[in-house]
Amino acid sequence: QVLLVESGGGLVQPGGSLGLSCTASGATLDYYSIGWFRQAPGKEREGVSCISSSDGSTYYADSVKGRFTISRDLAKNTAYLQMNSLKPEDTAVYSCVTWYSASGFCGTVVAEKAPYDYDAWGQGTQVTVSS
C-alpha cells in the first residue's frame, strides 16, 4: 500500500554533486527503514546506503563512504541521498526501498545480496556522471 517516488536524477560532470529524494505515500516513514540501491547496465544491484527507523543509524557501502549522505525528514515523509564528488562509476539507476522495522540496524539488510521482501520499491531515477 505504500508508494515511493524518487526524483533528482540527471546528468552531472565528474566531481559534481546531485541530490536525490524519495517521498512516500500511503504510510509514514516513522517506523520504516529506508534504503537506496543502484544498478548499472551489466552489473549487479548494489546496496548503497540506508537509515534505520529505530535510532536513525546509517550504513554506507565502501564505494560511496565519505561522498554520499543519507538523511530523512519525517515531517515531509521524505528521505534524501546527497551525492558529492561523483565519479563515472556512480552512473546507475538509483532506487529507494522501505520496510517496516521497529528495531535493528538497517545495514544488516541492505548489505546482504540475498532476496528480501521489501514493502515497496520506487520506480528508479537515472544518475549519469560523464564529462
Side-chain angles (χ1 to χ4, degrees):
Q1 64 192 86
V2 59
L3 176 66
L4 301 179
V5 178
E6 303 99 334
S7 63
L11 175 65
V12 64
Q13 294 185 345
S17 298
L18 207 59
L20 306 181
S21 64
C22 173
T23 300
S25 61
T28 62
L29 297 178
D30 300 57
Y31 306 107
Y32 289 77
S33 294
I34 293 288
W36 287 93
F37 286 81
R38 67 184 182 185
Q39 188 166 26
K43 296 184 178 181
E44 296 182 345
R45 186 181 66 191
E46 177 187 19
V48 175
S49 181
C50 66
I51 184 166
S52 301
S53 63
S54 56
D55 59 1
S57 59
T58 57
Y59 160 85
Y60 298 95
D62 290 340
S63 58
V64 306
K65 192 173 299 181
R67 301 187 296 119
F68 290 12
T69 302
I70 190 170
S71 62
R72 62 184 177 182
D73 186 337
L74 297 181
K76 297 182 178 180
N77 220 29
T78 300
Y80 305 93
L81 185 68
Q82 179 63 41
M83 305 181 294
N84 299 324
S85 301
L86 284 164
K87 306 174 181 179
E89 305 93 275
D90 296 318
T91 296
V93 174
Y94 286 72
S95 301
C96 62
V97 300
T98 189
W99 69 100
Y100 183 84
S101 180
S103 63
F105 179 51
C106 69
T108 62
V109 175
V110 171
E112 294 292 334
K113 295 184 178 180
Y116 187 85
D117 291 329
Y118 294 105
D119 290 312
W121 284 82
Q123 83 285 359
T125 185
Q126 177 70 47
V127 173
T128 302
V129 185
S130 176
S131 60

